[in-house]
Amino acid sequence: MRHLISPLDLSLEELEELLTLGQDIMNHPEKYAHVCEGKKLATLFYEPSTRTRLSFESAMLSLGGQVLGFSSADSSSAAKGESVADTIRVISCYADICAMRHPKEGAPTVAAMHASIPVINAGDGGHNHPTQTLTDLLTIKTLTGRLDHMTVGMCGDLKFGRTVHSLINALVRYPDVKFVLISPEELRIPSYLRKEVLDAGNISYLETDRLEENLPDLDILYMTRVQRERFFNEEDYIRLKDSFILDAAKLQYAKKDMYVLHPLPRVNEISTEVDNDPRAVYFKQAQFGVYIRMALIIKLLEVEIPC
Ligand code: CP
C-alpha cells in the first residue's frame, strides 16, 4: 500500500507516469469515467479549503467513485479530542482511500502509520502540499512542454508557503532549473530548504526582494499569498501582506511566453486586471488539479486502466 506524504515519495519515473496519465485523462476523460466504481474517497479536512477538497471530490466522482468526509475539525470528533491515529483507524473501515489536510505538520504521516488505506497529504501546516505540486508540474509541463531548463521565480510568502516548499523539492530533480526567490527578508525560504536542498544539490538560486528587475529573466512566475493563518502577530501580517502586487504595468517587463501560476486563493498579490492576460494561467491550473488527482487516485488504488 502506498501513501503520498511528500513529493519525494514518488520516484522521477513515477512522477512522469502520473503526469502522462494526467494528460491522457485531460484528453480522454470518458475513458476513465467508471474505473473507480464501487470505491470511496474520504476527505478529512481539519483546515479550510476550496480547491483541494473539492477537486479531490470532483476527481473521484469523475472516476465513477463516491465521496464522504468532513470539511472542518469542528464538524468532526476532533472537536471532542479524538486523535488523528484513532480517526484514521475508523475511516479505514469506511473508505478505500483518503485525503487529509491538517494544520499540524506531520499529521498525515501519523495517519499513514495507523491507516489500512492509502493516505494522501492534502497540506500539512507550513510543510508540504504534494498534490498542489503535482498540479503545478502538470500545468507547467502541459503549457511549456518541459520541466527542465527553465528559470522559475517564486514570489511572496516563501517561509510559510507549503506549496513553494513542495515545488522546490520536486523541481530540483530536473536538470538546469534555476530559482529566483522573491520575498521580504522575514519571509524567505526555511533554512533547511536552503541548506539541505538548494545548497546540497548545487542548485542555482537567487534570494531577492526585487520583483520588477527579475521579471525579464523568468520562464515561470509562481505567485503566493502571505499566509495570514501562520503568523503569530497580526501587525506583522498587515505590514507584509502587500509586499508584492503583480499588475499589468509590472507584467510588461516579463517575457511574452512567461506563465503566471498561483496555487490560489489569491488575496491582493495579483491584480484582477492580470486575469485576462494570456500568461495568467492560475484558473487553468486549478482545472489541471482535477486531472492529476484523478491520476493519483487511480495509481494509489491500483485500479485497472482501460487501453
Ligand atoms: N491551493 C489550495 O490548496 O487551495 P485550497 O486551500 O482552496 O485547497
Side-chain angles (χ1 to χ4, degrees):
M1 189 176 58
R2 293 286 301 271
H3 306 286
L4 182 71
I5 304 300
S6 145
L8 301 179
D9 292 344
L10 297 167
S11 68
L12 211 46
E13 196 185 352
E14 288 172 321
L15 194 51
E16 287 298 321
E17 268 177 33
L18 265 184
L19 295 172
T20 303
L21 180 57
Q23 286 178 323
D24 196 55
I25 292 169
M26 187 188 310
N27 296 326
H28 308 284
E30 68 292 341
K31 214 170 104 183
Y32 299 89
H34 304 287
V35 295
C36 283
E37 268 172 6
K39 303 280 185 192
K40 297 189 204 93
L41 165 82
T43 51
L44 315 178
F45 276 61
Y46 294 80
E47 251 195 356
S49 167
T50 296
R51 272 146 297 275
T52 311
R53 186 171 68 83
L54 296 180
S55 66
F56 262 116
E57 295 190 0
S58 175
M60 191 49 150
L61 294 171
S62 299
L63 294 168
Q66 293 172 297
V67 297
L68 65 159
F70 54 81
S71 59
S72 72
D74 287 350
S75 63
S76 78
S77 285
K80 302 175 206 161
E82 186 170 53
S83 67
V84 163
D86 283 0
T87 300
I88 198 67
R89 281 195 185 103
V90 173
I91 298 299
S92 296
C93 307
Y94 301 159
D96 301 286
I97 186 167
C98 81
M100 173 182 283
R101 171 169 290 186
H102 202 288
K104 280 201 186 134
E105 299 178 2
T109 308
V110 172
M113 287 161 58
H114 295 90
S116 50
I117 57 173
V119 174
I120 302 168
N121 178 4
D124 62 328
H127 191 216
N128 263 318
H129 193 345
T131 63
Q132 180 63 48
T133 299
L134 295 176
T135 301
D136 302 338
L137 297 179
L138 181 65
T139 306
I140 297 170
K141 185 159 186 180
T142 303
L143 298 176
T144 69
R146 67 188 198 281
L147 289 169
D148 50 18
H149 299 91
M150 59 174 66
T151 301
V152 179
M154 295 181 158
C155 178
D157 183 349
L158 309 187
K159 178 179 179 182
F160 296 116
R162 58 193 172 198
T163 62
V164 166
H165 307 160
S166 285
L167 187 56
I168 290 176
N169 267 311
L171 281 173
V172 295
R173 301 204 277 177
Y174 291 89
D176 192 29
V177 175
K178 303 183 183 77
F179 295 96
V180 180
L181 303 170
I182 307 154
S183 72
E185 175 87 30
E186 290 121 300
L187 297 180
R188 289 194 172 178
I189 55 166
S191 62
Y192 81 86
L193 206 52
R194 186 179 303 109
K195 288 186 191 135
E196 293 167 29
V197 179
L198 297 175
D199 291 340
N202 212 11
I203 307 295
S204 169
Y205 69 96
L206 167 72
E207 293 189 281
T208 174
D209 59 3
R210 315 289 294 190
L211 173 59
E212 286 96 316
E213 73 185 45
N214 287 291
L215 264 173
D217 298 329
L218 306 181
D219 299 302
I220 298 290
L221 173 59
Y222 193 85
M223 293 296 294
T224 63
R225 83 187 157 93
V226 175
Q227 308 258 311
R228 180 182 205 154
E229 64 275 28
R230 315 259 178 245
F231 274 76
F232 292 114
N233 176 335
E234 180 74 4
E235 278 170 27
D236 286 345
Y237 168 72
I238 289 168
R239 180 169 53 80
L240 295 169
K241 71 184 174 71
D242 293 328
S243 298
F244 301 99
I245 298 177
L246 182 67
D247 56 20
K250 290 195 186 88
L251 209 47
Q252 286 182 351
Y253 296 106
K255 291 179 187 171
K256 295 285 172 246
D257 61 352
M258 184 195 80
Y259 287 109
V260 182
L261 278 71
H262 190 310
L264 303 177
R266 152 178 65 184
V267 187
N268 286 330
E269 58 281 356
I270 302 180
S271 164
T272 52
E273 69 190 15
V274 172
D275 295 355
N276 291 329
D277 189 297
R279 292 169 289 185
V281 294
Y282 25 92
F283 293 113
K284 203 178 272 187
Q285 186 183 354
Q287 173 66 48
F288 287 157
V290 178
Y291 304 129
I292 200 66
R293 289 181 174 101
M294 288 169 76
L296 181 64
I297 291 168
I298 286 174
K299 284 287 180 192
L300 292 182
L301 283 179
E302 298 179 351
V303 295
E304 216 165 292
I305 303 175
C307 304

